[in-house]
Amino acid sequence: MPPASDDDTVDPGVSKGGAGPTGLQALNAGAIVVAALYFGRDLLVPLVLAVLLAFVLAPLVVLLQRTRMGKAPSVLVAVALAFAAILGIGAIVGRQATTLAESLPAYQATIQDKVKSLTVGTEAIGRIGGAVQSLLTGVPAGESAGAAPAVEGPARDAAAPSALGVVRTVVAPLFGPLATLGVVVVFTVFVLLSREDLRDRVVRLVGRQDLHRTILAMNDAAGRLSRYFLFQLALNTAFGVFIAAGLWGVGLPNPVLWGILAALMRFVPYIGSVIAVVPPVLLALAVAPGWSLAVVVLGLFLLGDLLMGQVVEPLLYGHSTGLSPIAVVLSAAFWTFMWGPV
């Protein structure tokens, strides 16, 4: 048998025949893509938000076009309605938050009573612990090392803030979100105006061999994504309405605020409902003299979350979108890690 020549040896880092990347090359490419997604999030997040809004608004644009409204007017009307709703929700949240802040001093007595009841229990536990320690060490429970006197720092009169400083403090944090909102509006309009052209360009890139099947596949994928986002928006809205109605029924102040918070927090995977339930439970503790209202509020959130998560969502997502639940969970976890709640 003749000895193997140099041409017969195969480099383990290169696939046989030169076809396809090796595992190391694919890993390097994936790391580069993930790093680009992470460090480019300031530019990519508005673009992705615009694409998501375009998927949600596409059915509305098609419906407006069927009323013999032109394409550009249909897009502008749909985008204007969407962002008017978003700004309206923001205004309602701001007004409700202001009302809540004005009402908090009225709940001070109830909060002090609950803290006092907890303090009495803590003091009883502390006295029992001190008695046990005195029995073990022989030192009276009341004795302790002398504490160093507190040294007060020099009093300084804080300068009164100027009007320009107040305006800068209030307005400056709004520049970033407003700029992002403007970019999202522009991107959404252009994506909706050129969605067919974008689809055709992608088809020419990836589906030259079978244009018909590629177009059908892309239309099916776009329809599934639109239905998924619409169902998620509708379900979260229904959850918020359920929570707001229940809290209004039990007499908790500002139920609309907590309903909107519950609907928004359900977009955050896994911990959204946990975050949403904390403020209304704390408010229930501050409003009612007993503990029953807080228990009812907690039970309302648990009931709504169980119904949505275990009954409604699996039925709608499984039968209407055809998406794998594992794919949804993994995708949500990955993108939450990359870009946060957005």
Side-chain angles (χ1 to χ4, degrees):
M1 183 175 181
S5 63
D6 293 340
D7 295 337
D8 294 334
T9 59
V10 179
D11 188 356
V14 180
S15 59
K16 187 176 181 179
T22 64
L24 183 59
Q25 291 173 342
L27 184 61
N28 291 334
I32 292 173
V33 170
V34 170
L37 290 173
Y38 182 77
F39 290 106
R41 59 187 180 273
D42 291 338
L43 175 63
L44 295 176
V45 166
L47 179 59
V48 170
L49 288 176
V51 173
L52 296 179
L53 284 174
F55 276 113
V56 174
L57 296 178
L60 178 59
V61 173
V62 173
L63 182 63
L64 292 175
Q65 285 182 295
R66 289 177 181 174
T67 62
R68 297 187 178 182
M69 186 181 293
K71 183 177 182 179
S74 300
V75 170
L76 294 178
V77 169
V79 173
L81 290 176
F83 283 94
I86 293 173
L87 294 177
I89 292 174
I92 293 174
V93 170
R95 186 164 60 249
Q96 291 277 313
T98 303
T99 304
L100 176 63
E102 294 174 351
S103 303
L104 284 179
Y107 309 140
Q108 185 176 0
T110 306
I111 296 174
Q112 289 177 349
D113 292 339
K114 284 192 170 59
V115 172
K116 187 181 298 183
S117 64
L118 294 175
T119 304
V120 170
T122 305
E123 290 177 352
I125 296 174
R127 286 196 296 269
I128 294 173
V132 172
Q133 182 180 5
S134 64
L135 289 175
L136 294 177
T137 60
V139 179
E143 293 185 3
S144 60
V151 180
E152 295 184 358
R156 294 184 301 174
D157 294 333
S162 62
L164 181 60
V166 173
V167 171
R168 186 185 298 112
T169 303
V170 174
V171 177
L174 299 177
F175 285 155
L178 289 177
T180 302
L181 181 63
V183 174
V184 171
V185 171
V186 174
F187 280 167
T188 304
V189 171
F190 278 99
V191 169
L192 287 172
L193 286 175
S194 58
R195 65 183 189 277
E196 290 86 1
D197 181 62
L198 293 173
R199 181 200 63 190
D200 295 340
R201 290 177 183 271
V202 174
V203 167
R204 285 196 295 269
L205 287 175
V206 302
R208 290 180 179 271
Q209 296 179 354
D210 195 342
L211 293 178
H212 180 67
R213 289 187 179 180
T214 304
I215 291 175
L216 290 179
M218 292 193 65
N219 288 338
D220 180 67
R224 288 177 183 271
L225 285 174
S226 293
R227 286 197 299 271
Y228 174 73
F229 293 137
L230 286 173
F231 279 134
Q232 192 175 28
L233 178 62
L235 287 177
N236 292 348
T237 303
F239 180 75
V241 172
F242 171 78
I243 292 298
L247 295 180
W248 175 80
V250 299
L252 190 72
N254 305 103
V256 177
L257 175 63
W258 311 126
I260 294 175
L261 179 64
L264 292 177
M265 285 297 101
R266 275 191 62 82
F267 287 101
V268 181
Y270 310 117
I271 61 173
S273 298
V274 178
I275 297 174
V277 74
V278 173
V281 167
L282 292 178
L283 181 62
L285 292 174
V287 171
W291 303 87
S292 59
L293 183 59
V295 174
V296 171
V297 171
L298 182 60
L300 184 67
F301 271 84
L302 290 177
L303 176 62
D305 196 56
L306 285 175
L307 289 176
M308 287 293 179
Q310 304 299 325
V311 179
V312 181
E313 287 181 351
L315 291 175
L316 289 180
Y317 289 165
H319 296 294
S320 300
T321 63
L323 294 175
S324 170
I326 296 178
V328 173
V329 170
L330 292 179
S331 176
F334 174 78
W335 290 110
T336 303
F337 171 76
M338 291 292 294
W339 289 348
V342 174

